[in-house]
Amino acid sequence: MAIVEVGGVKVRFISWAEGIALSEALARRIEGDGYKPEIIVAISRGGLVPARIISDILGVDDVISMGVKYWGLAQRRAERPLLYHSIEPGVIRDRKVLVVDEVADTGHTLMLAKNLLDLIGAAQVKTAVLHLKTTSQLTPDYYAERIEEWVWISYPWSRYEDLREFKKRGHDISKYIEKIC
């Protein structure tokens, strides 16, 4: 677990191998629990890669996305999550759903997704994330790892976004990425 401090923000860099392993472990937990979703909803953009891996392991070919944006710069977020593209109710109605995101930081994104899917008639909605932070107001049904001390998690699939956002704040994290990842 590589953690560095960048501009006063603790950052944990996740490698591709670790991201895949966490996704596989999460899928095995869901599988072990006996939950068999009919459709997987990936929270775009962070949940897209884990959702794809989980869908393959669980044998669920029906994967769609819901666009929700909450975090901008590391440690700075909007007042509330913003839904920027949603799902047609007919796709969800009366189906067992698994919502997948990469991290539950405040839990607000997962709450928004779950409430919306319940509202449009999902038969059952369960949530899953790679990382659960103790700052989350919602504990997902499934998670791969619990994070006790707050840290910004930089996933390989969001690396360029992180590079861009840290650069806007005057910090270059490319040296860490090259060394760690």
Side-chain angles (χ1 to χ4, degrees):
M1 173 178 9
I3 296 178
V4 297
E5 190 169 314
V6 181
V9 177
K10 288 184 181 178
V11 182
R12 176 177 170 191
F13 291 94
I14 304 292
S15 68
W16 275 106
E18 187 179 4
I20 291 167
L22 286 163
S23 299
E24 290 171 343
L26 182 56
R28 298 291 178 221
R29 283 198 175 145
I30 297 162
E31 192 175 51
D33 189 46
Y35 187 61
K36 296 180 180 2
E38 298 169 84
I39 187 168
I40 293 177
V41 174
I43 299 297
S44 180
R45 296 179 313 174
L48 293 169
V49 172
R52 170 58 199 258
I53 294 166
I54 290 166
S55 76
D56 285 345
I57 292 170
L58 298 181
V60 179
D61 291 335
D62 203 351
V63 179
I64 59 175
S65 69
M66 173 186 291
V68 182
K69 187 163 181 80
Y70 198 18
W71 287 94
L73 251 27
Q75 276 190 313
R76 293 186 187 165
R77 63 176 188 266
E79 188 175 317
R80 67 181 73 81
L82 170 68
L83 179 69
Y84 62 89
H85 70 84
S86 188
I87 298 166
E88 289 295 319
V91 174
I92 296 297
R93 192 170 294 118
D94 300 324
R95 296 178 80 189
K96 290 170 65 175
V97 180
L98 178 67
V99 176
V100 177
D101 205 357
E102 83 275 49
V103 63
D105 201 308
T106 64
H108 294 150
T109 297
L110 290 174
M111 284 187 259
L112 173 74
K114 184 174 179 359
N115 290 341
L116 178 62
L117 295 170
D118 284 338
L119 183 68
I120 62 177
Q124 185 177 22
V125 179
K126 291 201 174 193
T127 55
V129 296
L130 299 181
H131 291 104
L132 167 63
K133 294 183 183 179
T134 56
T135 53
S136 181
Q137 294 178 23
L138 173 96
T139 300
D141 297 288
Y142 307 101
Y143 56 91
E145 217 175 77
R146 183 179 172 95
I147 305 292
E148 298 294 328
E149 183 181 352
W150 197 93
V151 62
W152 181 260
I153 303 173
S154 181
Y155 297 95
W157 47 87
S158 59
R159 200 75 80 216
Y160 290 104
E161 179 183 13
D162 290 345
L163 277 166
R164 183 178 62 243
E165 295 300 326
F166 274 102
K167 191 172 188 174
K168 284 180 187 176
R169 292 176 69 182
H171 304 287
D172 182 9
I173 62 171
S174 61
K175 61 184 175 187
Y176 301 113
I177 292 170
E178 290 169 10
K179 182 179 176 185
I180 297 166
C181 305

